[in-house]
Amino acid sequence: MSRPHSFTPPPCAHARQLRTSRGDFAVLDASPPGAVRATALLLPGYTGSKEDFMALLEPLSAAGYRTVAVDGRGQYETEGTDRQESYAQGELALDVLAQADALDVGPVHLLGHSLGGQIARAAVLLDAAPFRSLTLMSSGPAEIVEAQQLKVKVLSDALATLSMARVWEAMRALDPPEEAATDGDALRRRWLRHRPAQLIATGRQLMTETDRVAELAALPLPVHVLSGERDDTWPVPLLDEMAQRLGAHRTRIAGAEHSPNTDRPKETAAALAAFWDGL
């Protein structure tokens, strides 16, 4: 689970509802102090939320980028249903296209972290026209590694029979002491607002995702593969290989693991802005 530095937006950002043709989505919308170079749409990962990008908002705004981080359908502050079919990857990809359209600013830079990267990929494969570029942050070519598949399966089985509160208690009991004492109340509130059906359906996607790199490589869309220098969900050498297959710009963030957006936010924001500036 990603651990945001804060759940309080910086002065450059405000929380609001983004109204789209597919419903309302909770977002953090951060604007630059001066002219806007471009707009970026950021999609969080499995069990995450828009707050995972909180520490990126100020440096990206300072670099001239309006940055909109979104809770997907059934994540945290965005409503969802109790039907797993509502969270099929194709449905979530259509949500992303609707979000980009609702921003009404022309092509946007799209970024997806982990699961969000695979949803972002599905969106651009449906229609690349709304996007200026795609950044896959710690998001691999296909299914997650076997050890992570086991963790997701255990979680999904628990969600099918236990309350969100009971599952939270069980997860926290397994955390190292230093993590269990960090931002527990805010993380618990976020967890309790996730829809179990969303977690079960998207967890299944992470365990069964097929390799669509060749399809993505065929699109005339600039791609950036960004990760930490260690990753226990998709090995970094696998991400290196994916970047080569895509002919993508490649960045490794020193000192970061699966969530460079929270591990090393300043360095991550600088790498994102440099890529976008280059376009």
Side-chain angles (χ1 to χ4, degrees), residues 85-96:
E85 56 268 29
S86 299
Y87 308 103
Q89 189 183 79
E91 293 297 314
L92 301 180
L94 288 172
D95 287 347
V96 175

Side-chain angles (χ1 to χ4, degrees), residues 9 12 27 44 58 81 110 121 144-145 159 165 171 174 184 188 193 210 227 254 263 266:
C12 65
V27 302
E58 280 192 312
T81 76
L110 180 63
R121 180 175 73 176
I144 56 179
V145 299
L159 290 168
M171 291 193 303
L174 297 174
R188 183 178 186 274
R193 293 189 66 174
T210 57
S227 74
D263 294 342
K266 290 183 180 178

Side-chain angles (χ1 to χ4, degrees), residues 41-44 53 110-114 116-117 120 134-139:
L41 177 63
L42 279 51
L43 314 181
F53 302 113
L110 180 63
L111 178 151
H113 173 231
S114 195
L134 171 65
T135 296
L136 302 173
M137 179 186 288
S138 304
S139 185

Side-chain angles (χ1 to χ4, degrees), residues 111-187:
L111 178 151
H113 173 231
S114 195
L115 170 72
Q118 297 195 332
I119 295 169
R121 180 175 73 176
V124 302
L125 289 174
L126 282 177
D127 184 2
F131 306 108
R132 179 69 185 87
S133 73
L134 171 65
T135 296
L136 302 173
M137 179 186 288
S138 304
S139 185
E143 75 280 0
I144 56 179
V145 299
E146 187 174 348
Q148 293 295 330
Q149 289 187 40
L150 178 59
K151 290 181 180 180
V152 172
K153 184 180 186 306
V154 169
L155 176 59
S156 296
D157 290 346
L159 290 168
T161 57
L162 301 175
S163 69
M164 291 292 282
R166 288 287 304 279
V167 174
W168 174 258
E169 292 167 6
M171 291 193 303
R172 295 300 275 186
L174 297 174
D175 280 344
E178 64 274 13
E179 291 188 4
T182 304
D183 294 328
D185 290 341
L187 290 171

Side-chain angles (χ1 to χ4, degrees), residues 38-268:
T39 296
L41 177 63
L42 279 51
L43 314 181
Y46 185 62
T47 76
S49 69
K50 60 190 180 302
E51 285 73 19
D52 294 345
F53 302 113
M54 192 78 80
L56 299 182
L57 299 181
E58 280 192 312
L60 288 178
S61 294
Y65 291 95
R66 179 187 174 199
T67 307
V68 182
V70 61
D71 286 339
R73 181 185 301 269
Q75 283 184 318
Y76 191 29
E77 294 181 321
T78 293
E79 291 300 318
T81 76
D82 294 325
R83 296 180 294 106
Q84 292 183 35
E85 56 268 29
S86 299
Y87 308 103
Q89 189 183 79
E91 293 297 314
L92 301 180
L94 288 172
D95 287 347
V96 175
L97 294 175
Q99 292 157 12
D101 181 66
L103 292 174
D104 195 26
V105 292
V108 302
H109 296 293
L110 180 63
L111 178 151
H113 173 231
S114 195
L115 170 72
Q118 297 195 332
I119 295 169
R121 180 175 73 176
V124 302
L125 289 174
L126 282 177
D127 184 2
F131 306 108
R132 179 69 185 87
S133 73
L134 171 65
T135 296
L136 302 173
M137 179 186 288
S138 304
S139 185
E143 75 280 0
I144 56 179
V145 299
E146 187 174 348
Q148 293 295 330
Q149 289 187 40
L150 178 59
K151 290 181 180 180
V152 172
K153 184 180 186 306
V154 169
L155 176 59
S156 296
D157 290 346
L159 290 168
T161 57
L162 301 175
S163 69
M164 291 292 282
R166 288 287 304 279
V167 174
W168 174 258
E169 292 167 6
M171 291 193 303
R172 295 300 275 186
L174 297 174
D175 280 344
E178 64 274 13
E179 291 188 4
T182 304
D183 294 328
D185 290 341
L187 290 171
R188 183 178 186 274
R189 285 194 299 271
R190 178 175 72 171
W191 170 260
L192 292 177
R193 293 189 66 174
H194 277 69
R195 292 284 183 151
Q198 188 268 350
L199 293 167
I200 293 170
T202 56
R204 187 183 306 115
Q205 291 169 32
L206 286 169
M207 294 188 288
T208 60
E209 179 75 358
T210 57
D211 189 320
R212 305 186 70 186
V213 173
E215 294 176 68
L216 182 59
L219 296 179
L221 185 71
V223 178
H224 184 190
V225 175
L226 185 150
S227 74
E229 59 184 354
R230 295 176 298 279
D231 197 302
D232 62 0
T233 305
W234 289 279
V236 169
L238 182 66
L239 299 176
D240 293 339
E241 179 190 26
M242 181 179 73
Q244 290 180 343
R245 292 170 63 195
L246 289 168
H249 184 72
R250 178 72 173 107
T251 301
R252 288 193 194 187
I253 303 296
E257 299 189 14
H258 185 63
S259 296
N261 44 309
T262 57
D263 294 342
R264 294 290 187 272
K266 290 183 180 178
E267 296 84 350
T268 300

